[in-house]
Amino acid sequence: MRIGELSERTGTPRRLLRYYEEQGLILPDRCANGYRSYDERLVDRVLQIRGLLDAGLPTRIIKQILPCLDKPRVIHFSDATAEMIATLVNERDRMTQRIECLTRNRDAISEYLDAVLSNNTAR
Amino acid sequence: MRIGELSERTGTPRRLLRYYEEQGLILPDRCANGYRSYDERLVDRVLQIRGLLDAGLPTRIIKQILPCLDKPRVIHFSDATAEMIATLVNERDRMTQRIECLTRNRDAISEYLDAVLSNNTAR
DNA sequence: CTGAACCCTCACATGGATGTGAGGCCGAAG
DNA sequence: CTTCGGCCTCACATCCATGTGAGGGTTCAG
């Protein structure tokens, strides 16, 4: 598929699809005329990238963790240098912290909403 | 306490403590000499702010959700306009999405790490 | 009194994600 | 052949969180 379709299907501006490519997050093929050609599975990948960006991860880190999430995991053992592993452990832990922080605060918001709403309907 | 102590205790540059104040996230008192004076509980508040920022929330949103997390919840019922509630519901849902995204990806990283590490020690 | 270590405000700079638009090529449809 | 919509590259602009430093007060210890 071309960039327009991917853009629509992922709700992502074309500009950003090119940007993610520039940052090495995705690597579309090129048609004879120079147009980018995206594989079907890049739909999910782009959504994943957007989710991670929205959760505060920079492209530099996303680029490092993405290859670890592909199915044939064995292929990527070569990347497993000591520093790479340290980075992954570190990022995993930071993600856990984020999850905890978000969960705490979301639950507090929920509680507040419950209180306010039940109060409103009770009035 | 003054800004230097708060900075040390929260690991936050002074610059950012002033920035958070400018954005309306915290409201320190002022001593006679003009120095900022921070209440003890602002330590936790600052850590909370930093956590949320790190998790991708902008100061504008953080400013809106912070008041809902204080203990005497009843005090803030006045803030509960219809749009405010809509905002909170929306942000709560976005936080849930972030949590899911982070959890998915963190678990995948963990799996990958388990695979790589067990493979390494097995060799 | 002086110096060191705080604090203040103000302002300009940077980096990362994103917006916007100019100038131009390509291909289908009238 | 022209037109139009989609694609290309390039480049400058914007927003936000953060860095950095200048210029100047306060306090305290020596």
Side-chain angles (χ1 to χ4, degrees):
Chain A
M1 99 194 64
R2 287 179 306 177
I3 200 171
E5 186 181 344
L6 184 60
S7 170
E8 273 186 17
R9 289 176 60 184
T10 61
T12 308
R14 295 159 165 78
R15 169 73 172 88
L16 291 184
L17 294 174
R18 300 196 185 101
Y19 175 67
Y20 300 153
E21 176 181 351
E22 189 183 305
Q23 301 303 307
L25 303 185
I26 51 183
L27 189 50
D29 292 336
R30 294 289 181 144
C31 300
N33 58 11
Y35 287 11
R36 274 164 257 255
S37 169
Y38 297 90
D39 185 284
E40 189 66 21
R41 345 174 239 178
L42 287 182
V43 173
D44 285 332
R45 166 131 312 195
V46 167
L47 292 174
Q48 185 181 24
I49 291 171
R50 303 222 94 206
L52 290 171
L53 278 172
D54 184 59
L57 282 79
T59 53
R60 201 187 76 253
I61 298 298
I62 297 177
K63 179 178 177 177
Q64 293 188 289
I65 70 179
L66 276 183
C68 312
L69 312 181
D70 287 340
K71 317 90 207 169
R73 191 170 294 116
V74 199
I75 294 183
H76 302 294
F77 276 144
S78 44
D79 303 335
T81 69
E83 320 93 280
M84 187 56 191
I85 292 190
T87 302
L88 286 178
V89 169
N90 184 47
E91 287 307 317
R92 182 197 55 186
D93 294 347
R94 289 200 56 187
M95 289 168 82
T96 297
Q97 284 177 230
R98 276 185 257 243
I99 290 167
E100 282 165 4
C101 175
L102 284 170
T103 303
R104 259 197 317 276
N105 285 283
R106 182 204 51 181
D107 291 350
I109 293 177
S110 278
E111 246 183 70
Y112 174 83
L113 282 172
D114 288 350
V116 170
L117 293 178
S118 73
N119 182 279
N120 263 1
T121 57
R123 256 193 253 152
Chain B
M1 96 194 65
R2 287 180 306 181
I3 201 172
E5 186 181 345
L6 184 60
S7 170
E8 273 186 16
R9 289 176 60 184
T10 61
T12 308
R14 293 145 213 261
R15 169 74 173 91
L16 290 185
L17 294 174
R18 302 196 184 101
Y19 175 67
Y20 300 153
E21 175 181 354
E22 189 183 305
Q23 301 303 306
L25 303 186
I26 52 183
L27 188 51
D29 292 336
R30 293 291 181 143
C31 301
N33 58 11
Y35 288 11
R36 275 164 256 255
S37 169
Y38 297 90
D39 184 283
E40 189 68 20
R41 346 173 236 179
L42 287 183
V43 173
D44 285 332
R45 166 132 314 197
V46 167
L47 292 175
Q48 186 182 23
I49 291 171
R50 304 221 94 206
L52 289 171
L53 277 172
D54 184 59
L57 281 79
T59 54
R60 201 188 76 253
I61 298 298
I62 296 176
K63 178 179 180 178
Q64 295 189 288
I65 71 178
L66 277 184
C68 312
L69 313 181
D70 287 341
K71 316 88 206 171
R73 194 168 294 115
V74 199
I75 296 182
H76 302 295
F77 275 144
S78 45
D79 302 336
T81 70
E83 320 92 282
M84 187 54 191
I85 293 191
T87 303
L88 285 177
V89 169
N90 184 45
E91 286 307 318
R92 183 197 54 186
D93 294 347
R94 287 198 57 186
M95 288 167 83
T96 298
Q97 284 175 232
R98 275 185 257 245
I99 291 167
E100 282 164 3
C101 176
L102 284 169
T103 303
R104 258 197 317 275
N105 285 283
R106 182 203 52 181
D107 290 350
I109 292 176
S110 278
E111 246 183 71
Y112 175 82
L113 282 171
D114 288 350
V116 170
L117 293 178
S118 74
N119 182 280
N120 263 0
T121 57
R123 255 194 251 147

